[in-house]
Amino acid sequence: MIVVVTPNPAVDVTYRVDEQRIGTTQRVRSVERRPGGKGLNVARVLAAEDVVTHSVLPLGGASGTWMVDAVAALGQPVTVVSVPGETRSTITVVDDLAHPTMFGEPGPDVPARTWLRVDEAVRAAVHAAPDADALVIAGSLPVGSPPDVVVPWITDALAAGALVVADLAGPALLAAADAGATICKPNRDELAEATGRTDERAGALDLLRRGAGTVVVSRGSAGIAAHTVDAVVEVPAVPGVTGNPTGAGDAATAGLVLALTRGTDIATALRTAAAFGAAAVLRPVAGEIDHDAAHRFTTDLETTRSHA
Amino acid sequence: MIVVVTPNPAVDVTYRVDEQRIGTTQRVRSVERRPGGKGLNVARVLAAEDVVTHSVLPLGGASGTWMVDAVAALGQPVTVVSVPGETRSTITVVDDLAHPTMFGEPGPDVPARTWLRVDEAVRAAVHAAPDADALVIAGSLPVGSPPDVVVPWITDALAAGALVVADLAGPALLAAADAGATICKPNRDELAEATGRTDERAGALDLLRRGAGTVVVSRGSAGIAAHTVDAVVEVPAVPGVTGNPTGAGDAATAGLVLALTRGTDIATALRTAAAFGAAAVLRPVAGEIDHDAAHRFTTDLETTRSHA
């Protein structure tokens, strides 16, 4: 069982309009609403692979209520922690003419006492039967939340014998490394931004020195790499895959944690991550992968190992 | 008591961003949510003038739930009719550089059986003690709703001795005229669009021939006029008022119905409407007026009457 925490879930709304134009009144032709946030995307991919997940979601207001209903429809265990204020929405405006425009709400102010209730929810989920094999923390924190709210989740999970995958950014990524997360999984930009290092290896070493077990860096079309103190293992991206890259990083996280909880080595886990990421690009929406393609891709990829 | 029907209420959301740019990801700096829809704006202005209103609102989904709570906070009687689907949102994106961009959702598909329940709610509100002096129907219908859903509301209210003010557009405006609404109150563009007549008098005569008692046409900065078969009464706009014109038409409707239910003649009612509209421009948000300005303006305006 894999516990998945989404610290700042969002209602992902897509508006289709005839033509995006600033300063006008635009009739929205169609509205789609989906439960969003990186952790929820990870949980959806895992659920589609028949892995039992337990999601922990701080939710509030009317959009929070909508999310509870939408997530319950996925048929997986969920613990909802009520937060004051309104769960954020992200609105993506699309037409057939220009790039999409995305408006991201900041998310609610989550007070310290609410984070204590999230701590309890994570602890309960990690210790619930069946034992948790892993804890995944994925996505941003609400604006204004202290980055170290993630620390007790990580220490509890590690103490319970679960591995921890932290797909975080900024100071929360550093806090996860400090807390000894088994895997810190930023993309290249997030790693550079959090550590202030433009060199990937240097940034990864910073996180390793802080306490991260392994630093997995997703490189988009340049593949994925795992850094430990004495080695770098690299897997290229699946070649020739085009489609919708939204959610590909989340699918990669799902592939990574799925492989690791099944006891594979890091090279196989990276191949699974790259394959799941590519298989997500083949699907039109985030949180889904092309199952057959994912398993075909996994066996096709080659791994390079270099000793540092 | 004034019954106010808002056939297609909306959550009015305002996003402030640093700079509107198509094709980018924009951080929303602040989010404001208000209950919206023309009828709700009318009801808010009336409530601020200490007039008892009874709102009838078809609402659905999570945004419907939010609306119920927000409208209940106004402390006026409300009948909510549950509709399947999600009450629409309108999102206005503002910065300090360009005109606002507005995205209007189409609203839910309201099935015929739900409109029957709205009929019952309007009938009950019109016949509730204290007797209804007026019925106001204001705003668009949800996309795809038949225009004649307004007809039973109007016939019931007229039969109960209430006057009916219909601030509608398109085929619903024609249906309201057919049903004998006491006042049809389009703006100039809506009148032209519904009747296909570019001449205001010709369009007004069309509605009068269909059965409207009086056609009141709001002309923005050119004032407001009341058409009957044999006369046109005109009142200029209050001069020199600048500010936020959103909701000015709804405040004018509130002023009009308030004056008429107090037994004034049409000239005084038009002056009140023009004054309320101008007093709304002085306030930053729709659904509010500057009370003192409204009453000062009312006495300052002159009326022109011409016989047709």
Side-chain angles (χ1 to χ4, degrees):
Chain A
M1 192 269 291
I2 297 177
V3 177
V4 183
V5 183
T6 311
N8 195 18
V11 181
D12 282 344
V13 184
T14 305
Y15 281 173
R16 176 160 285 278
V17 300
D18 294 336
E19 183 185 354
Q20 298 185 66
R21 288 182 64 190
I22 287 170
T24 65
T25 293
Q26 313 216 282
R27 186 168 291 188
V28 176
R29 299 297 174 181
S30 70
V31 183
E32 270 179 54
R33 284 188 171 77
R34 289 173 57 85
K38 290 169 83 71
L40 270 169
N41 290 339
V42 173
R44 268 206 297 268
V45 171
L46 288 171
E49 296 295 306
D50 290 327
V51 177
V52 177
T53 64
H54 186 138
S55 287
V56 177
L57 300 168
L59 293 172
S63 20
T65 305
W66 184 89
M67 288 280 278
V68 172
D69 295 345
V71 172
L74 300 176
Q76 294 249 350
V78 176
T79 303
V80 171
V81 177
S82 284
V83 304
E86 192 76 19
T87 289
R88 70 194 170 117
S89 293
T90 58
I91 296 191
T92 305
V93 181
V94 300
D95 60 20
D96 292 327
L97 306 161
H99 285 287
T101 306
M102 210 270 270
F103 299 98
E105 296 184 10
D109 282 328
V110 180
R113 68 175 186 283
T114 303
W115 286 122
L116 292 177
R117 290 182 20 246
V118 176
D119 295 352
E120 287 162 24
V122 173
R123 191 174 305 126
V126 164
H127 290 92
D131 277 355
D133 302 304
L135 166 69
V136 177
I137 309 168
S140 63
L141 299 185
V143 172
S145 291
D148 59 4
V149 296
V150 304
V151 171
W153 315 338
I154 295 169
T155 28
D156 274 353
L158 294 174
L163 64 89
V164 174
V165 177
D167 186 353
L168 294 163
L173 177 64
L174 303 182
D178 290 340
T182 321
I183 310 270
C184 283
K185 189 200 160 283
N187 64 33
R188 265 184 170 171
D189 291 344
E190 288 163 346
L191 179 65
E193 193 266 325
T195 61
R197 307 273 198 172
T198 49
D199 177 65
E200 177 183 313
R201 179 69 186 158
L205 283 172
D206 272 6
L207 296 186
L208 293 167
R209 281 191 208 106
R210 281 173 174 269
T214 302
V215 177
V216 172
V217 183
S218 51
R219 300 168 169 174
S221 59
I224 189 164
H227 296 256
T228 51
V229 174
D230 53 11
V232 183
V233 180
E234 296 176 274
V235 167
V238 178
V241 176
T242 55
N244 168 32
T246 314
D250 305 332
T253 301
L256 185 76
V257 69
L258 178 64
L260 291 173
T261 55
R262 289 184 176 166
T264 69
D265 58 15
I266 189 74
T268 307
L270 287 187
R271 283 203 305 273
T272 312
F276 273 48
V281 172
L282 297 175
R283 300 297 294 248
V285 292
E288 293 182 8
I289 64 169
D290 181 322
H291 176 84
D292 294 339
H295 292 267
R296 193 170 66 243
F297 292 156
T298 305
T299 53
D300 285 352
L301 289 166
E302 286 185 11
T303 316
T304 312
R305 176 183 293 267
S306 56
H307 288 271
Chain B
M1 194 269 291
I2 298 177
V3 177
V4 183
V5 183
T6 311
N8 195 18
V11 181
D12 283 343
V13 185
T14 305
Y15 281 173
R16 177 161 283 278
V17 299
D18 293 335
E19 184 185 353
Q20 298 185 65
R21 288 181 65 190
I22 288 170
T24 64
T25 293
Q26 313 216 282
R27 187 168 289 188
V28 176
R29 299 297 175 181
S30 70
V31 183
E32 270 179 53
R33 285 188 168 77
R34 290 174 56 84
K38 290 170 82 74
L40 269 170
N41 289 339
V42 173
R44 266 207 298 268
V45 171
L46 289 171
E49 296 296 305
D50 290 327
V51 177
V52 177
T53 64
H54 186 139
S55 288
V56 177
L57 300 168
L59 294 172
S63 22
T65 305
W66 184 89
M67 288 282 278
V68 172
D69 295 344
V71 172
L74 300 176
Q76 293 248 349
V78 176
T79 304
V80 171
V81 178
S82 284
V83 304
E86 192 75 19
T87 289
R88 70 193 169 117
S89 294
T90 58
I91 296 191
T92 305
V93 181
V94 300
D95 60 22
D96 292 327
L97 304 161
H99 284 288
T101 307
M102 210 270 270
F103 299 97
E105 295 184 10
D109 282 329
V110 180
R113 68 175 185 284
T114 303
W115 286 122
L116 293 176
R117 290 184 18 248
V118 176
D119 295 352
E120 287 162 25
V122 173
R123 190 174 306 126
V126 163
H127 289 92
D131 276 356
D133 302 304
L135 166 70
V136 177
I137 309 168
S140 63
L141 300 185
V143 172
S145 291
D148 59 4
V149 295
V150 304
V151 171
W153 315 338
I154 295 170
T155 19
D156 275 352
L158 293 174
L163 64 89
V164 175
V165 177
D167 186 353
L168 294 163
L173 177 65
L174 304 181
D178 290 340
T182 321
I183 310 270
C184 283
K185 188 199 160 283
N187 64 33
R188 266 183 169 170
D189 290 345
E190 288 163 346
L191 180 65
E193 192 266 325
T195 62
R197 307 274 198 170
T198 49
D199 178 66
E200 177 183 313
R201 178 70 186 158
L205 283 171
D206 271 6
L207 296 187
L208 292 166
R209 280 190 211 105
R210 281 172 175 269
T214 300
V215 177
V216 173
V217 183
S218 51
R219 300 166 169 175
S221 59
I224 189 165
H227 296 256
T228 53
V229 174
D230 53 11
V232 182
V233 181
E234 297 176 273
V235 167
V238 178
V241 176
T242 55
N244 168 32
T246 314
D250 305 332
T253 301
L256 185 76
V257 70
L258 177 65
L260 291 172
T261 54
R262 288 183 177 167
T264 70
D265 60 15
I266 189 73
T268 306
L270 287 188
R271 283 203 304 275
T272 312
F276 273 48
V281 172
L282 297 175
R283 299 297 294 249
V285 292
E288 295 183 7
I289 63 169
D290 181 323
H291 175 85
D292 294 339
H295 292 268
R296 193 170 67 244
F297 292 157
T298 305
T299 53
D300 285 354
L301 289 166
E302 286 185 11
T303 316
T304 313
R305 175 181 293 268
S306 57
H307 288 272

